[in-house]
Amino acid sequence: MGVALSDDEAWEVLAAAHTGILTTMRADGFPVTLPVWFAVRDREILVAGPAATHKFTRVRKDDKVAFLVESGERWTDLRAVQISGRAVVDPAPDWADVDALFDAKYAGFRTPRAEMPESARVRYDSRRALLRITPERAPISWDNRRLAGGR
């Protein structure tokens, strides 16, 4: 049995993962990689945040991105899915829909907006932006657990 996941399995792993690793490109061609919270909708990856952050600026200049989720500590437990694609800063997202996706996924991990200090709420609400990442090709994936016992 191979270690690659099917496309459907890969998207299930993506959707269930807590934190993703987003790589964008600087103007000088060097990559910048950072952890992000995200949601999956219709085989797109959504990343929201303050519009003034550099990840949005970098995507506006170069839309090529990579996105990775991984899990496992022992070699036999390693599992990952990597997406190569294009990102766009959505000019007019349906924030109610996006917020519902993120609230469903991260409600137990973040402070509700209504309970945030006003300075944090202003930062996150006044000029938010949304990245929509669309894959250019099938996910690259592996699940070493399949080698250890055929899971």
Side-chain angles (χ1 to χ4, degrees):
M1 170 181 265
V3 296
L5 301 168
S6 70
D7 281 0
D8 288 340
E9 290 170 324
W11 282 100
E12 287 174 17
V13 169
L14 277 163
H18 185 272
T19 303
I21 306 300
L22 173 66
T23 301
T24 57
M25 304 303 288
R26 290 188 339 197
D28 62 7
F30 283 93
V32 176
T33 302
L34 28 105
V36 295
W37 282 357
F38 68 99
V40 171
R41 180 180 63 195
D42 300 329
R43 295 202 174 191
E44 280 190 329
I45 297 163
L46 307 177
V47 177
T53 59
H54 292 292
K55 66 181 157 277
F56 297 104
T57 303
R58 287 190 296 271
V59 163
R60 286 184 182 101
K61 293 178 181 177
D62 186 341
D63 67 349
K64 292 183 294 295
V65 300
F67 190 84
L68 173 77
V69 298
E70 59 82 27
S71 64
E73 293 182 12
R74 295 178 16 201
W75 181 87
T76 55
D77 297 327
L78 294 179
R79 180 169 70 168
V81 177
Q82 190 262 335
I83 297 289
S84 295
R86 305 282 177 166
V88 63
V89 179
D90 190 326
D94 177 350
W95 282 114
D97 181 49
V98 171
D99 288 343
L101 291 171
F102 278 81
D103 288 345
K105 185 170 184 177
Y106 295 110
F109 300 98
R110 66 180 181 182
T111 304
R113 278 187 159 65
E115 296 175 19
M116 286 181 178
E118 185 168 342
S119 61
R121 211 172 32 253
V122 167
R123 176 170 169 77
Y124 284 95
D125 287 344
S126 66
R127 291 211 353 104
R128 293 194 294 164
L130 180 72
L131 288 182
R132 287 187 303 108
I133 301 169
T134 304
E136 287 277 308
R137 54 188 58 92
I140 297 170
S141 63
W142 60 94
D143 185 349
N144 287 353
R145 299 175 310 165
R146 292 180 174 195
L147 296 173
R151 292 184 220 179

